[in-house]
Amino acid sequence: VMTQTPLSLSVTPGQAASISCKSSESLLQSGGRTCLYWYLQKPGQSPQLLIYEVSRRFSGVPDRFSGSGSGTDFTLKISRVEAEDVGVYYCMQGLHLPFTFGPGTKVDIE
Amino acid sequence: QVQLVESGGGVVQPGTSLRLSCAASGFIFTDYVVHWVRQAPGKGPEWVAVMSPNGDIKFYTDSVRGRFTISRDNSKSTLYLEMNNLRTEDTALYFCARDPILDRPDYFDYWGQGTLVTVSS
């Protein structure tokens, strides 16, 4: 089971934001990879990959996005929120099928 | 660039069938694991099914196993989802998604725009 906090977040542009994701089991794979991913679903769009394997930014993702954590506890940080960052952020475990998502954190701009 | 374009959605009655398609381009389709993921209105994404590059391995989420069948035609770079005995709870936007890991299910790096399936009497 994946949980996220907070479920909603209102941020002033330029401020930092942080989202927590917790898994009910360790997401550390036997080969040493940790199978935790972050997606952003902007309004009216399909989800897009932001972060893979806890902390690796996907191609084209701005460096204001960063991921950290290990085992069961993970965090997504946005160093300086911009208007284009609004949407719902989901963490997902890819350790085993069925892949499962957290409930989502809705981020909007104050 | 990687593109995934779903089609085939629509409004159907409970108990009927529908076949979704996902046309892939911009990458070597035959090399990749591909998934179906759905999102019910106002809910988060839910993984549905996955298929290996040559089609010999398939997995399904419990709620669709026995009713849905994932398949692919590598000569057409197309993924399919045959949905039978549809239920109202299958109502969702259905996405196909590519998995960047070539030999096992792992995660999704590219998603299509989705096709809407509405099951209603």
Side-chain angles (χ1 to χ4, degrees), chain A residues 33 37 39 41 46-47 101, chain B residues 39 45 104 106-108 111-112:
Chain A
R33 296 166 57 241
Y37 308 91
Y39 293 89
Q41 188 169 28
S46 52
F101 294 82
Chain B
Q39 188 169 28
R104 65 183 185 279
D106 204 318
Y107 62 103
F108 324 115
W111 303 56

Side-chain angles (χ1 to χ4, degrees), chain B residues 1-91:
Chain B
Q1 73 280 21
V2 173
Q3 277 202 306
L4 300 163
V5 180
E6 302 91 338
S7 60
V11 181
V12 295
Q13 292 190 328
T16 60
S17 300
L18 208 55
R19 188 198 201 200
L20 306 183
S21 300
C22 169
S25 61
F27 64 101
I28 302 173
F29 183 71
T30 54
D31 284 351
Y32 287 84
V33 171
V34 280
H35 303 258
W36 286 102
V37 182
R38 67 185 179 183
Q39 188 169 28
K43 304 293 185 182
E46 177 192 22
W47 174 82
V48 174
V50 63
M51 174 167 265
S52 60
N54 65 3
D56 61 340
I57 299 174
K58 312 172 192 181
F59 292 104
Y60 301 91
T61 193
D62 286 349
S63 62
V64 310
R65 189 176 299 114
R67 299 187 300 122
F68 289 12
T69 301
I70 188 172
S71 63
R72 63 194 293 166
D73 185 337
N74 285 341
S75 69
K76 296 180 179 180
S77 296
T78 301
L79 178 70
Y80 302 100
L81 187 67
E82 184 76 36
M83 304 185 296
N84 296 319
N85 191 19
L86 282 160
R87 304 169 180 168
T88 54
E89 56 264 35
D90 295 319
T91 293

